[in-house]
Amino acid sequence: MKIKVLFLLVLTTVPATGATLNTERIDQLTGLKGKLNEKEGAYKISFPREDIAVSVDGWKMAAFMGLSTWASFIKATHSEAMVMGDTVLFEDEVNLAMFVALESGLNVTALHNHFFFDRPRVFFMHIEGEGTIEHLASSVRLLYDKVREFRVAHPTPADSFLKPALPDVSTITADPLNKIFRTSGEVNRGMIKFTFGRPAKMHGVTIDSTMGVNTWAAFAGSDENAVVDGDFAVTENELRATLKSLREAGINIVAIHSHMIGEEPRIVFFHYWGRGPAQKLAQSIQKALPATAGTTTKPRAGVR
């Protein structure tokens, strides 16, 4: 009897095998030939970004050295499959790719660089999702296809957002923005900044806005030709909805990462950059704020 119990225990602890995944269907849907890691039960597709030459520190970099887009599939617990991946993108591709990923139901979990002194600059967008093989593989294919289509239409990566130049002297009118955010921002030479703290715990200590747990938005330029840049502090569960809200408003996401370790709840930070009329930008930021309203402290202006 003891031998039988031990045998059953071993069976239940063996990782799910790739045989439980329809790998041929993944290949068909993504248009790529993957490779199965039988030990881990994971199936990985990948391709090198060799369509644009990249140099790092003056050296022409081979895709083998870290310029490959990939997505891996594994059997999930609560659905048919889970996908995780990393997408190699140039600056002008990032927000198109993020919009496509979010609209297709994938989650975007990180956006960052891997190099210094790279030309053109390269960013890496991490994705994940759960669902059916059909949905996940089709979403991954759509993401890759949209990036390819954009690059074919724009062979040379852009080096700016291609917006009208900002005025040298900022003249943002504070009152309309104060009304939108329902608080008074910090004014400085025609610019204005709003900061919204939220409590968290770290090493058993309560931390808040002054310790860096905050969402902020800073406006410069003129009322009709403005820029907003800032940072959102969100929980993992709030990240997707907040990213989606800003992308639908045309505001560019430029980084997604952590600022701390060991905090409770876990806080994810993402930085953004938007262009347009100041009030329209403020309304877009304000619209995204309710995603964090449940745990955000009373809005207050302050210096980040």
Side-chain angles (χ1 to χ4, degrees):
M1 181 62 69
K2 290 183 179 179
I3 294 176
K4 290 182 179 179
V5 171
L6 179 61
F7 180 68
L8 289 173
L9 178 62
V10 171
L11 283 179
T12 58
T13 55
V14 173
T17 65
T20 59
L21 293 175
N22 187 340
T23 57
E24 290 186 4
R25 187 59 178 151
I26 293 174
D27 289 348
Q28 292 171 356
L29 291 169
T30 61
L32 296 167
K33 177 64 178 175
K35 183 177 181 180
L36 174 66
N37 183 320
E38 294 185 5
K39 180 180 178 180
E40 297 179 8
Y43 189 71
K44 183 177 183 179
I45 59 168
S46 66
F47 66 90
R49 279 302 302 259
E50 295 178 323
D51 51 320
I52 299 291
V54 175
S55 66
V56 178
D57 196 21
W59 174 67
K60 185 178 179 180
M61 188 171 183
F64 175 78
M65 295 295 290
L67 293 174
S68 289
T69 288
W70 62 269
S72 292
F73 299 80
I74 196 168
K75 181 175 171 57
T77 301
H78 304 294
S79 58
E80 182 183 5
M82 178 173 69
V83 66
M84 293 182 66
D86 199 1
T87 312
V88 181
L89 299 166
F90 298 102
E91 288 177 282
D92 59 349
E93 299 169 347
V94 167
N95 282 278
L96 166 66
M98 186 175 298
F99 183 82
V100 172
L102 293 171
E103 285 293 303
S104 67
L106 297 172
N107 294 312
V108 177
T109 57
L111 174 65
H112 51 212
N113 62 303
H114 287 187
F115 312 107
F116 282 161
F117 308 115
D118 43 329
R119 302 288 186 274
R121 292 193 70 197
V122 185
F123 281 78
F124 295 77
M125 186 182 79
H126 295 257
I127 58 169
E128 68 89 21
E130 287 188 84
T132 65
I133 289 292
E134 294 286 324
H135 173 244
L136 296 178
S138 296
S139 297
V140 168
R141 174 65 179 267
L142 179 63
L143 169 61
Y144 296 169
D145 282 352
K146 290 298 182 182
V147 173
R148 290 191 188 101
E149 290 170 10
F150 178 83
R151 195 74 285 149
V152 169
H154 306 84
T156 302
D159 57 4
S160 75
F161 285 111
L162 306 177
K163 297 286 187 178
L166 290 164
D168 293 331
V169 178
S170 291
T171 56
I172 299 293
T173 305
D175 188 57
L177 303 194
N178 288 337
K179 290 179 179 177
I180 290 170
F181 288 111
R182 298 186 294 277
T183 189
S184 295
E186 177 196 6
V187 176
N188 185 322
R189 294 181 296 172
M191 300 174 287
I192 187 168
K193 179 186 286 186
F194 298 87
T195 304
F196 308 93
R198 66 180 304 163
K201 282 189 176 293
M202 189 171 180
H203 307 310
V205 177
T206 298
I207 56 176
D208 208 309
S209 182
T210 305
M211 294 297 288
V213 192
N214 58 54
T215 291
W216 61 273
F219 298 80
S222 67
D223 291 340
E224 293 303 317
N225 181 18
V227 61
V228 62
D229 79 309
D231 198 2
F232 263 74
V234 298
T235 65
E236 293 171 286
N237 291 336
E238 298 163 346
L239 177 62
R240 175 183 167 77
T242 314
L243 287 174
K244 200 166 184 293
S245 180
L246 291 188
R247 281 305 304 130
E248 287 172 349
I251 293 177
N252 296 286
I253 311 301
V254 297
I256 307 171
H257 50 213
S258 60
H259 287 186
M260 303 169 287
I261 55 174
E263 75 278 12
E264 298 176 1
R266 185 164 185 251
I267 304 294
V268 180
F269 294 82
F270 70 84
H271 301 257
Y272 61 91
W273 179 272
R275 292 290 306 274
Q279 291 187 49
K280 183 177 180 180
L281 293 171
Q283 288 164 351
S284 298
I285 301 299
Q286 172 62 25
K287 181 180 178 182
L289 286 176
T292 62
T295 52
T296 301
T297 56
K298 182 180 179 181
R300 59 185 183 278
V303 180
R304 187 179 186 277

